[in-house]
Amino acid sequence: MNSQDFAFDPLNEATRRSPFPLYARARREFPVYEHCGLPVLSVFRYADVEAILRDAETWSSNFARFVQPYLLERPELAEEMPPFFATSDGEYHRRMRSLISKAFTAKMVRALEPAMRAAVDALLDKALAQGEVDLVPALTAPFPIQVIAQLLGVPAEDGPQFQKWSRELTQNQVQGVLRLPGPEMVERHVEATRAMHAYFKTLIEERRVKPRADLVSALVAVHKDGAQLSYPELLQMLTVLLVAGNATTTALISNMMVELLAHRDQLARLRTAPGLIPTAVDEVLRFASPVQAMPRLAAKPTELHGRQVETGQLVLVWIGSANRDAAVFERPDEFDVGRAYNPHLAFGIGPHSCIGSLLATLEGCVVLRAMLERTRSFELTNDEPLPLHSSFVARSYARLPMRLVPA
Ligand code: HEM
């Protein structure tokens, strides 16, 4: 299965910067790859990635011991901090997901568009006045936080606090599922979760008395209606929502800038045909997928391309590779903002597929439209390699030093 002359180390900086040729070779020669020195198998072909993500009976998403390490170390906290539904299986996951779908509707997302545009415009006003900025703190990081704040119905000023909690809860992502967090990190998770719960409790009580057209009010209504959602579950649901959509959407917007600058013909095409904005955002999601890989655990003995897989085996499904698979995409390594057929897996697929996909896509479209309308040009201020985001499953940049010229 393994080869002397092929190494795919997802923690290696050079590999992370340019994984695509390695993905291509893995798809051809090593559809199931056993990593040297890491307790994990990887799959790279679209068909395998799709099949695993769809089959939640065989492939578990129960990663509580990594993303909620306190559940392993301090099981007495399980009642106060029940499992996140995104990293749960079976009936619990189905119940929580169906309840959130009742509250988090497409209508609610679409209604946010004017507020999104106002938020981008305010951030761009400042950035354009400066001329040269690091676009991550100036736009791509604060914007998704402000949108979530708007969605939940909390003041935009609390955005930085949200960002801090989000960071605390995702700090284990550098090594992700490859290494359990240490005791100090467990304590930080507990502290951040308690702080968030305290914040949400105040908000929930306010909405109970005076509902508004926001997601917290809608979830409070679900909680009240059926007794199907306990109070700690409601708090954890809000916690997941706050955390899941931040770094991912920041990555989408950052990657959009980087890819448009790397493919200036496509940027020029968008300037003359802004009707292509929605397909352009989908193309960024495919070409530079913010989440390159998702983990799964074998829930029972199974087989992958003839290789026996035991219960508990950790597998990484490489979404970033699936999205470049020539078996599905024409000219897979070409960045084409007008791509018509684009069934990318950037938001996953199957029972755990992203519930924020519409929101994230709309955010991407709103930012792109504002950038096209409000700038005559934008460019990176230097040719140095951009620093990568720390997580090995993310494709994103820690900084984007840019020069913006107003329209
Ligand atoms: C470009 C931005 C985003 C990307 C690339 C992305 C990607 C993904 C992917 C790949 C999954 C599937 C996980 C799996 O199969 O285990 C997922 C699930 C999820 N996403 Fe997103 N996401 C984005 C934005 C958002 C936003 C804005 C929200 C919420 C406001 C959100 C909430 C969630 C939740 C709650 C799940 C778990 C669903 C479940 O387990 O049933 N995401 N996302």
Side-chain angles (χ1 to χ4, degrees):
M1 193 79 49
N2 233 330
S3 157
Q4 295 292 320
D5 71 337
F6 180 73
F8 179 76
D9 175 2
L11 302 175
N12 176 283
E13 156 111 19
T15 299
R16 292 188 55 216
R17 217 168 257 292
S18 175
F20 302 106
L22 293 169
Y23 291 162
R25 185 161 171 214
R27 282 194 303 274
R28 279 193 312 270
E29 297 175 37
F30 309 102
V32 184
Y33 178 71
E34 205 164 327
H35 292 262
C36 215
L38 294 175
V40 60
L41 297 176
S42 280
V43 300
F44 296 94
R45 290 183 185 165
Y46 187 103
D48 295 326
V49 170
E50 180 182 10
I52 289 177
L53 291 180
R54 282 190 186 280
D55 181 1
E57 300 297 315
T58 310
W59 299 102
S60 164
S61 290
N62 188 345
F63 285 96
R65 66 182 192 273
F66 297 99
V67 293
Q68 292 174 274
Y70 48 83
L71 289 181
L72 192 74
E73 305 285 325
R74 296 173 57 187
E76 74 281 5
L77 291 177
E79 206 172 312
E80 177 190 342
M81 302 175 188
F84 293 146
F85 75 97
T87 42
S88 303
D89 294 327
E91 199 36 49
Y92 177 74
H93 169 254
R94 271 191 291 277
R95 173 169 63 86
M96 297 286 275
R97 189 168 161 118
S98 100
L99 290 174
I100 197 159
S101 311
K102 283 188 197 162
F104 188 22
T105 61
K107 192 172 158 217
M108 182 177 277
V109 170
R110 291 204 185 94
L112 280 177
E113 190 170 347
M116 283 185 194
R117 179 61 200 245
V120 179
D121 277 337
L123 292 166
L124 276 181
D125 283 345
K126 275 196 214 148
L128 285 162
Q130 281 171 274
E132 280 194 15
V133 287
D134 176 353
L135 210 65
V136 175
L139 174 70
T140 74
F143 174 62
I145 299 264
Q146 291 181 6
V147 173
I148 301 263
Q150 185 81 30
L151 178 79
L152 294 176
V154 303
E157 307 87 84
D158 295 344
Q161 180 59 69
F162 277 16
Q163 209 164 355
K164 200 163 154 264
W165 287 329
S166 243
R167 247 187 255 123
E168 290 285 303
L169 292 184
T170 51
Q171 59 183 310
N172 188 39
Q173 67 185 198
V174 178
Q175 296 293 328
V177 292
L178 300 178
R179 191 174 296 160
L180 278 172
E184 191 220 346
M185 209 178 273
V186 172
E187 281 319 305
R188 283 166 67 181
H189 269 249
V190 171
E191 256 176 52
T193 310
R194 285 214 168 112
M196 278 167 93
H197 282 194
Y199 181 90
F200 285 135
K201 274 178 187 163
T202 314
L203 198 63
I204 288 167
E205 292 321 315
E206 282 171 19
R207 294 302 186 276
R208 224 193 271 286
V209 179
K210 215 166 162 214
R212 288 199 213 160
D214 60 31
L215 187 54
V216 172
S217 304
L219 284 170
V220 166
V222 169
H223 169 59
K224 195 168 63 187
D225 273 2
Q228 306 166 74
L229 183 64
S230 74
Y231 199 64
E233 284 169 355
L234 170 60
L235 292 170
Q236 287 294 66
M237 204 179 247
L238 290 168
T239 306
V240 170
L241 280 174
L242 185 62
V243 172
N246 285 338
T248 44
T249 312
T250 295
L252 164 63
I253 300 168
S254 298
N255 294 356
M256 183 160 78
M257 301 303 159
V258 170
E259 296 307 335
L260 288 173
L261 291 173
H263 303 89
R264 284 172 187 265
D265 57 325
Q266 298 299 306
L267 176 56
R269 200 175 157 199
L270 275 170
R271 286 204 182 273
T272 53
L276 293 178
I277 287 173
T279 48
V281 170
D282 264 323
E283 182 65 341
V284 176
L285 284 159
R286 181 191 75 84
F287 192 83
S289 308
V291 178
Q292 288 282 302
M294 280 312 297
R296 288 293 189 268
L297 290 167
K300 53 187 176 196
T302 184
E303 212 191 40
L304 285 172
H305 288 276
R307 186 199 190 281
Q308 274 304 310
V309 173
E310 302 306 328
T311 305
Q313 171 68 53
L314 176 64
V315 172
L316 286 172
V317 300
W318 287 90
I319 288 173
S321 169
N323 285 342
R324 298 285 190 108
D325 193 335
V328 175
F329 300 97
E330 274 178 24
R331 303 165 283 112
D333 293 318
E334 204 176 301
F335 180 70
D336 173 2
V337 294
R339 187 176 288 275
Y341 178 68
N342 191 354
H344 66 73
L345 300 177
F347 292 118
I349 197 160
H352 281 275
S353 67
C354 182
I355 59 164
S357 57
L358 182 65
L359 181 68
T361 308
L362 188 58
E363 287 180 61
C365 290
V366 168
V367 172
L368 182 50
R369 186 174 301 282
M371 285 295 286
L372 294 175
E373 286 174 5
R374 300 209 47 201
T375 65
R376 183 146 51 87
S377 66
F378 53 90
E379 59 192 359
L380 291 166
T381 53
N382 62 63
D383 296 334
E384 283 162 30
L386 293 166
L388 297 178
H389 185 281
S390 54
S391 166
F392 85 92
V393 296
R395 182 161 190 83
S396 186
Y397 304 94
R399 284 201 311 276
L400 284 182
M402 289 196 28
R403 187 174 304 115
L404 309 178
V405 180

